[in-house]
Amino acid sequence: MSSGKTIVANKKTAANRAARAKKNNRAISANSTAAKLTTVAPTILSSRASLSASSPAPESAYVTEVFASYIYDAASVATPNAWTILSSVDGGAYVLAQSDLTLPILGGGSDDWPNFAAANVACAATGIILRFGPGQYQAKSRQTVASRCHIVLNPLTEIQAAISPNDDNRDSVFTAYATTLAFDALAAGTNIGDDTVQISGGLVLTVGDFIVLHSKQFRVGLYQILAWDAATKIASLDRPLRMAYGSATGTLSFPAGSPVWKVDPPQNVIIECNGARVYGACNRFFEIYIGWRCNVMGPIHCGDGTSITATERIISFDEACYDCHGSYISGDGANLTTLGLSFESTEACSFLYCDMRRILNAGTIFQDAIDSVSIEGHCHSGAGAGVAFTAASAGAEPDSGTVWGSNGCSVVGGSYSGNHIGVHFQCGSSWCTIDGSTAIVGNTTGIHDELGNYNSAGSGVYLRKNFNGIYLDATSVGFVSEARISNNSNGLQVISGALGAVVDPLPFSNTVDVIGNQDRVAAALGTGRILIPSGVRVTDTTASIDQITGAVVISGGLGVVGASHLTGLVSHGQVSAIVPDGGYPLLLSGSTKALRVTTDAASTTLSGTDSSGSVSYQPLNVNGSTVGFQTAGAVRATLTSTSWAISITTASISPTTGAQTVAGGLGVGGAVNVGAYVRPGSYTVASLPTGAIGATVWCTNCCVFNGTGSQEATGVGTGGLVTYNGTAWKIAGTNVTAVA
């Protein structure tokens, strides 16, 4: 003990402080009392109870139970809370003289959680950090975490839960839960983008209060009041209303009559886990319900892989959490825990670098969430989905059309493998994305869009070795993907009824099925395209009667590198091609005439027809060794590998008449055999052409030799054959130059 003089001085100082505290209607704070440190060595005691019972009261003490120092203040008017402020049998109180204390382990299987509940309330009230030490704590009762509580776990902390789950969110190990203070309703409906609401009843609000707007379903929003007009009952909110709560496509956010709750949410709760472990029986390991800017920071290992584990979720940011975050959380659900990481009607919340395995329904789930994100998450080996974007509406089927799902949420990076579905969009979820370098590998289905609206997968996403790469259900609307899809049994499946699907590109090897109304897929986005290098099978039977109808419609051009096999009518502008199953394999049809191709076992025939293809003129028949040209039902010419035969018998009486005429010259490399006469060209001497050696023509006025061997006189020649010897035209059979 110190000298009496020192004690008296300290008591005077404490009395002065107590007086000032009374005057200001507040208790002495831990920080102001801590400033009264003396140089006296503290008394070391084993427990808080023994310190409270000590008499005379030690001026300062160190309590090993909570690893904390206390200072005695005889004049303190602060209310003892058994943790940061202790009562004294001598009167006054002991006030914690440091910024943290450690929660003791009771041992012997006793429940540590009532102590935890009382300690975190006391620490939160005085701004003290509550620490867990090394060793095993027992959590056997439902307790809550206070607002503004800062909890720090030790790397060697283990928490064994034995909280009997009864489907209540509060049956969780760490639960921060909002308190509902009053109920009311909206006087008028609100629209997306509104930042004020009007209250219909007697609810009174002040600046800084919090309200929850409820859609009568599961979509709820938590808002802080920035201004309140008591006369009009109009409250200004901290941010605009973000999404529709009554229709996926409408502008109405909350309709008139929607419930309004005045709440006291858990605010600024911080739980630092530092590699600790939590396992055992409970509903959820972590639960933040209607929380405001709370944070769970790992590493934390949840579940030990046994059947005694959380029944419902690993960690949940539940109904109306705003700006809450979790990081480095790993969980093993043993395929018994229903959900892993849960965004339930959250806004602007996130999970970072979390790992969920063997989760029954979904490793990460977005239920009616807004603008929330999972970054570099890993969800694998689950019986359900790696990630699900969905709605929380009770009993609603995924394709019922009565729920509205999540909006503007995203998965960025990470991997989702070995699940039934890698990523599942459903229940009206809209504008949700998968982005970053995200691996979706080895699932039954990589991405399944079911009653989704304009969801997407970015170019950094790759799907590999799934049975189905991307599966677009009949209720999918506007799904857009630039994902890389490789080595899946089915790269892309589009079911009849899907609207506006665009998959661009699919650059790797897949067997691709496009099933059903591909015209609806193409028409919905107009400029969209499907680029698929492997096989596509369209089984829809919608007939095509023009360029914008049919099972497949392509707004732009079509490029085909390989062979094309068609059946039916092919139309291009004013020309159509009919490709039927039998009879006429091809008919190119204009407005009045057509060209028909027919085949049978013996030959292929190319025919001129009328526009219907029924009246044939059969110009060409090919049987493999002979090409026959026909008119009026008869063969007129035949081409074989050794001959060209014309069977027309028309006589020739001039260069432009006969069975065959040639307008230009005719060159023959072999012998010419003629069955009748040959008639050469006819010229006068003056018009004889420039010849070639051996050329022979008829010269009409050439002076030839008569029967006596005399040449006819000049000017009276009767004409004859002349030949060209290379320098001049000579009378045939002589060396006499032709003259007139």
Side-chain angles (χ1 to χ4, degrees):
M1 294 290 291
S2 60
S3 67
K5 184 178 180 181
T6 303
I7 294 174
V8 170
N10 285 337
K11 284 185 176 180
K12 287 182 178 179
T13 302
N16 290 336
R17 287 178 179 156
R20 287 197 300 270
K22 267 187 172 181
K23 184 177 180 181
N24 294 314
N25 195 27
R26 66 177 184 270
I28 298 175
S29 69
N31 290 335
S32 63
T33 305
K36 187 173 63 73
L37 291 174
T38 71
T39 58
V40 178
T43 301
I44 298 176
L45 297 167
S46 62
S47 67
R48 292 165 291 131
S50 58
L51 177 58
S52 291
S54 295
S55 181
E59 182 180 349
S60 64
Y62 181 79
V63 179
T64 58
E65 178 192 35
V66 291
F67 300 96
S69 296
Y70 291 85
I71 293 178
Y72 178 61
D73 189 337
S76 173
V77 296
T79 302
N81 58 31
W83 294 94
T84 61
I85 302 172
L86 307 179
S87 62
S88 171
V89 295
D90 288 346
Y94 298 98
V95 180
L96 191 69
Q98 60 190 54
S99 62
D100 62 344
L101 61 78
T102 300
L103 184 71
I105 297 175
L106 296 179
S110 297
D111 184 7
D112 293 298
W113 242 228
N115 262 356
F116 162 65
N120 86 72
V121 169
C123 289
T126 53
I128 302 300
I129 295 173
L130 176 61
R131 295 184 181 275
F132 281 63
Q136 186 182 79
Y137 291 82
Q138 298 292 322
K140 295 184 175 182
S141 56
R142 174 197 293 184
Q143 306 294 343
T144 58
V145 177
S147 274
R148 300 178 180 84
C149 186
H150 187 167
I151 300 168
V152 178
L153 307 186
N154 186 282
L156 298 179
T157 298
E158 291 188 9
I159 301 171
Q160 183 177 37
I163 305 171
S164 298
N166 61 6
D167 198 31
D168 190 301
N169 301 356
R170 285 167 286 190
D171 294 329
S172 305
V173 178
F174 290 98
T175 300
Y177 221 77
T179 301
T180 303
L181 305 175
F183 297 91
D184 213 310
L186 290 180
T190 60
N191 293 314
I192 295 172
D194 287 353
D195 58 5
T196 61
V197 294
Q198 186 174 27
I199 308 301
S200 64
L203 182 65
V204 176
L205 298 172
T206 59
V207 173
D209 284 348
F210 291 89
I211 61 171
V212 167
L213 302 180
H214 206 293
S215 67
K216 301 181 182 179
Q217 293 285 329
F218 280 85
R219 279 191 169 171
V220 294
L222 174 63
Y223 299 90
Q224 190 171 33
I225 304 303
L226 298 185
W228 169 250
D229 187 325
T232 61
K233 298 183 180 179
I234 293 178
S236 298
L237 308 178
D238 64 292
R239 64 191 188 279
L241 300 177
R242 171 63 181 79
M243 68 183 296
Y245 285 77
S247 169
T249 56
T251 60
L252 190 66
S253 185
F254 291 96
S258 293
V260 179
W261 304 343
K262 181 180 178 180
V263 299
D264 180 14
Q267 303 175 51
N268 304 307
V269 171
I270 299 174
I271 304 176
E272 297 182 45
C273 298
N274 297 310
R277 296 177 60 227
V278 56
Y279 52 88
C282 59
N283 186 281
R284 311 176 185 193
F285 290 119
F286 291 87
E287 166 74 8
I288 309 294
Y289 180 77
I290 312 182
W292 181 267
R293 294 180 172 144
C294 298
N295 204 329
V296 179
M297 298 179 288
I300 179 71
H301 308 284
C302 302
D304 58 3
T306 69
S307 60
I308 302 175
T309 189
T311 56
E312 190 179 339
R313 310 186 188 206
I314 300 295
I315 176 170
S316 177
F317 295 145
D318 208 342
E319 280 195 34
C321 278
Y322 178 74
D323 197 15
C324 293
H325 308 280
S327 59
Y328 296 97
I329 300 165
S330 66
D332 187 340
N335 276 321
L336 296 170
T337 305
T338 306
L339 302 170
L341 310 170
S342 177
F343 299 92
E344 187 171 353
S345 217
T346 62
E347 182 176 354
C349 294
S350 72
F351 285 113
L352 290 80
Y353 302 102
C354 297
D355 180 274
M356 296 289 115
R357 58 189 177 276
R358 299 196 302 164
I359 304 298
L360 186 62
N361 288 351
T364 300
I365 190 165
F366 297 82
Q367 292 180 291
D368 296 317
I370 312 169
D371 294 338
S372 295
V373 59
S374 173
I375 299 174
E376 292 297 335
H378 302 272
C379 300
H380 51 90
S381 305
V387 177
F389 297 87
T390 186
S393 185
E397 294 297 326
D399 56 355
S400 69
T402 61
V403 290
W404 302 284
S406 295
N407 184 281
C409 296
S410 58
V411 167
V412 180
S415 64
Y416 303 89
S417 60
N419 306 289
H420 179 59
I421 299 173
V423 179
H424 196 177
F425 300 97
Q426 63 173 354
C427 292
S429 292
S430 305
W431 308 105
C432 295
T433 65
I434 315 167
D435 217 332
S437 181
T438 304
I440 303 175
V441 179
N443 306 282
T444 304
T445 296
I447 298 174
H448 185 179
D449 191 65
E450 180 183 18
L451 197 69
N453 298 296
Y454 309 103
N455 301 306
S456 63
S459 59
V461 178
Y462 68 91
L463 298 101
R464 189 168 185 267
K465 292 190 175 181
N466 305 284
F467 181 77
N468 297 310
I470 297 177
Y471 188 97
L472 304 179
D473 208 273
T475 51
S476 173
V477 176
F479 183 83
V480 178
S481 172
E482 295 181 294
R484 296 166 290 168
I485 306 178
S486 172
N487 299 109
N488 304 278
S489 297
N490 294 308
L492 167 68
Q493 288 202 9
V494 181
I495 304 302
S496 177
L499 287 167
V502 178
V503 180
D504 177 17
L506 299 177
F508 302 121
S509 56
N510 308 276
T511 299
V512 180
D513 289 339
V514 180
I515 304 169
N517 285 337
Q518 187 67 18
D519 61 311
R520 299 181 69 192
V521 171
L525 292 184
T527 59
R529 60 195 177 106
I530 296 182
L531 175 62
I532 306 171
S534 53
V536 178
R537 182 169 63 251
V538 180
T539 58
D540 182 64
T541 57
T542 302
S544 177
I545 58 174
D546 53 32
Q547 293 92 334
I548 59 172
T549 59
V552 176
V553 174
I554 300 173
S555 299
L558 174 64
V560 180
V561 176
S564 298
H565 301 274
L566 306 174
T567 297
L569 173 66
V570 180
S571 177
H572 177 69
Q574 295 299 313
V575 178
S576 299
I578 299 175
V579 189
D581 292 329
Y584 306 146
L586 178 63
L587 177 65
L588 299 176
S589 178
S591 58
T592 59
K593 295 293 186 290
L595 184 64
R596 186 179 72 190
V597 177
T598 60
T599 61
D600 55 30
S603 64
T604 297
T605 301
L606 179 65
S607 308
T609 72
D610 62 5
S611 59
S612 69
S614 60
V615 179
S616 173
Y617 309 107
Q618 299 180 327
L620 178 62
N621 181 282
V622 182
N623 67 10
S625 60
T626 301
V627 179
F629 295 86
Q630 303 178 31
T631 60
V635 176
R636 306 303 180 180
T638 303
L639 175 65
T640 70
S641 60
T642 59
S643 67
W644 166 249
I646 298 175
S647 56
I648 303 171
T649 59
T650 302
S652 178
I653 59 174
S654 69
T656 59
T657 59
Q660 179 170 330
T661 62
V662 180
L666 178 63
V668 180
V672 177
N673 295 281
V674 181
Y677 60 83
V678 176
R679 180 181 179 184
S682 179
Y683 299 88
T684 64
V685 170
S687 64
L688 284 169
T690 301
I693 295 175
T696 300
V697 299
W698 180 262
C699 186
T700 59
N701 64 346
C702 176
C703 297
V704 297
F705 293 89
N706 58 24
T708 62
S710 300
Q711 187 176 11
E712 293 174 335
T714 301
V716 292
T718 57
L721 289 174
V722 296
T723 61
Y724 192 72
N725 68 356
T727 58
W729 288 94
K730 304 291 183 179
I731 299 171
T734 73
N735 195 33
V736 178
T737 300
V739 295

